């Protein structure tokens, strides 16, 4: 038994257990439930995190977690699924079922790795994420909706939340409006400031990676709202523009 679980058995309070049987693997599983008090919250810096389709996460201090491997793997699985669906045989259906499980495990492992690296950063006490709860309710076209449907951002958010909590850190959310269009230096907001992965402010000339600029806006907006209150935050961040964009 790993040392981590030995510590759980010795120091945590046992609450209950469930016994389940998997028809697919023909195995029994015992799930034990333990409880422990939350660790004391630590003090440290606030880090903004921008999540997107081309980068799993970009932090306000300049760390980039690329999604290229995820996108390549998803394209490979999509190609294989289409080929197997065209056959329609029993063996192809079994193959589709097993392939679906592998794809889910791949995504879960990737999100675990990224969230673990984020949570274990020394000196960071608060992670600020964009509130993306309504992102899939908006109509953005067939192709974009398909990309969003394969984006496991909620799972990554859950993994980061419990890993951070176990270390005495916390995850908070911030309104994502205009974070992609706003310059982090002069705060000028304009849709044309961003072009794909490049951000070039038409007001002050500031240039940087668009996701890095967005992550810093997420961090600064949270600091401003927590310091001066939500009413002042709303007045600062409500420009006369129409629509928004997905960072």
């Amino acid at each position: 038994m790993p040392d981590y679980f030995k510590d759980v058995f010795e120091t945590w309070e046992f609450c209950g257990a469930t016994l389940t049987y998997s028809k697919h693997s023909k195995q029994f599983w015992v799930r034990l439930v333990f409880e422990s008090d939350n660790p004391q919250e630590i003090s440290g810096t606030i880090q903004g995190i921008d999540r997107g389709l081309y980068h799993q996460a970009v932090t306000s201090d300049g760390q980039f977690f690329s999604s290229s491997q995820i996108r390549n793997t998803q394209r490979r699985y999509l190609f294989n699924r289409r080929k197997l669906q065209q056959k329609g045989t029993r063996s192809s259906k079994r193959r589709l079922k097993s392939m679906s499980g592998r794809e889910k495990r791949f995504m879960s492992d990737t999100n675990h790795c990224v969230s673990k690296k984020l949570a274990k950063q020394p000196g960071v006490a608060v992670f600020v994420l964009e509130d993306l709860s309504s992102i899939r309710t908006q109509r953005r076209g067939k192709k974009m909706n398909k990309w969003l449907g394969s984006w496991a951002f909620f799972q990554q958010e859950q993994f980061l939340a419990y890993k951070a909590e176990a270390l005495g850190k916390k995850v908070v959310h911030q309104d994502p409006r205009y974070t992609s269009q706003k310059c982090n230096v002069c705060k000028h907001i304009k849709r044309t400031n961003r072009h794909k992965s490049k951000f070039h402010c038409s007001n002050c000339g500031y240039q940087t990676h668009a996701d890095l600029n967005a992550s810093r806006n997420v961090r600064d907006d949270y600091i401003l709202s927590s310091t001066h209150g939500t009413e002042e935050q709303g007045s600062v961040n409500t420009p006369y523009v129409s629509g928004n964009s997905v960072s």
Side-chain angles (χ1 to χ4, degrees):
M1 183 184 296
D3 293 336
Y4 174 81
F5 292 106
K6 288 181 181 178
D7 181 66
V8 170
F9 272 79
E10 294 173 358
T11 60
W12 289 34
E13 180 181 357
F14 174 71
C15 298
T18 58
L19 175 65
T20 58
Y21 175 72
S22 172
K23 292 183 179 180
H24 176 70
S25 61
K26 297 181 179 180
Q27 291 179 323
F28 286 95
W29 295 86
V30 178
R31 294 175 172 85
L32 306 177
V33 181
F34 291 83
E35 286 186 352
S36 176
D37 294 332
N38 290 334
Q40 185 176 0
E41 290 189 0
I42 65 173
S43 59
T45 61
I46 299 174
Q47 184 180 77
I49 300 177
D50 179 76
R51 296 169 291 168
L53 297 172
Y54 292 95
H55 286 93
Q56 274 190 284
V58 178
T59 65
S60 54
D61 57 1
Q63 299 179 68
F64 287 75
F65 296 87
S66 176
S67 296
S68 58
Q69 184 181 2
I70 295 176
R71 293 169 62 81
N72 291 337
T73 302
Q74 287 178 337
R75 282 195 290 267
R76 186 177 74 248
Y77 276 115
L78 177 62
F79 175 80
N80 291 335
R81 274 199 305 270
R82 287 175 175 174
K83 299 290 284 187
L84 292 171
Q85 287 170 351
Q86 290 175 356
K87 291 184 177 180
T89 61
R90 286 187 177 181
S91 60
S92 64
K93 291 179 180 178
R94 288 195 298 267
R95 178 75 172 171
L96 281 168
K97 189 175 181 180
S98 63
M99 190 169 65
S100 174
R102 286 199 300 273
E103 185 176 6
K104 290 179 180 178
R105 289 192 295 272
F106 165 77
M107 285 301 305
S108 178
D109 178 68
T110 304
N111 282 331
H112 268 301
C113 292
V114 172
S115 59
K116 184 177 181 180
K117 290 178 180 178
L118 289 171
K120 287 192 171 183
Q121 294 176 97
V124 179
V126 180
F127 301 96
V128 188
L129 304 179
E130 293 173 300
D131 184 3
L132 302 177
S133 56
S134 62
I135 193 171
R136 286 177 177 156
T137 62
Q138 303 176 27
R139 296 182 179 180
R140 303 179 184 275
K142 185 177 180 180
K143 186 175 182 180
M144 179 60 71
N145 287 336
K146 187 175 182 179
W147 283 356
L148 292 175
S150 63
W151 183 21
F153 65 88
F154 181 67
Q155 184 187 66
Q156 183 192 78
E157 180 179 316
Q158 288 182 310
F159 290 170
L160 177 60
Y162 84 76
K163 286 178 170 62
E165 184 179 5
L167 297 172
K169 305 178 180 183
K170 65 178 181 178
V171 173
V172 297
H173 295 86
Q174 180 61 34
D175 190 339
R177 288 179 295 179
Y178 311 113
T179 54
S180 296
Q181 305 172 19
K182 180 169 62 175
C183 175
N184 183 249
V185 175
C186 69
K187 308 305 179 185
H188 175 70
I189 299 176
K190 193 173 183 179
R191 182 187 293 272
T192 55
N193 281 347
R194 174 170 184 166
H195 180 67
K196 295 184 178 180
S197 63
K198 298 179 180 180
F199 185 90
H200 185 187
C201 180
S202 59
N203 183 54
C204 70
Y206 174 66
Q207 299 184 50
T208 187
H209 194 284
D211 293 338
L212 177 59
N213 178 76
S215 67
R216 290 172 176 172
N217 282 329
V218 171
R219 176 200 60 194
D220 294 348
D221 287 351
Y222 171 75
I223 294 174
L224 184 63
S225 63
S226 60
T227 304
H228 300 289
T230 56
E231 292 184 3
E232 182 175 350
Q233 170 71 3
S235 64
V236 171
N237 289 337
T238 308
Y240 185 72
V241 294
S242 60
N244 61 8
S245 61
V246 180
S247 59

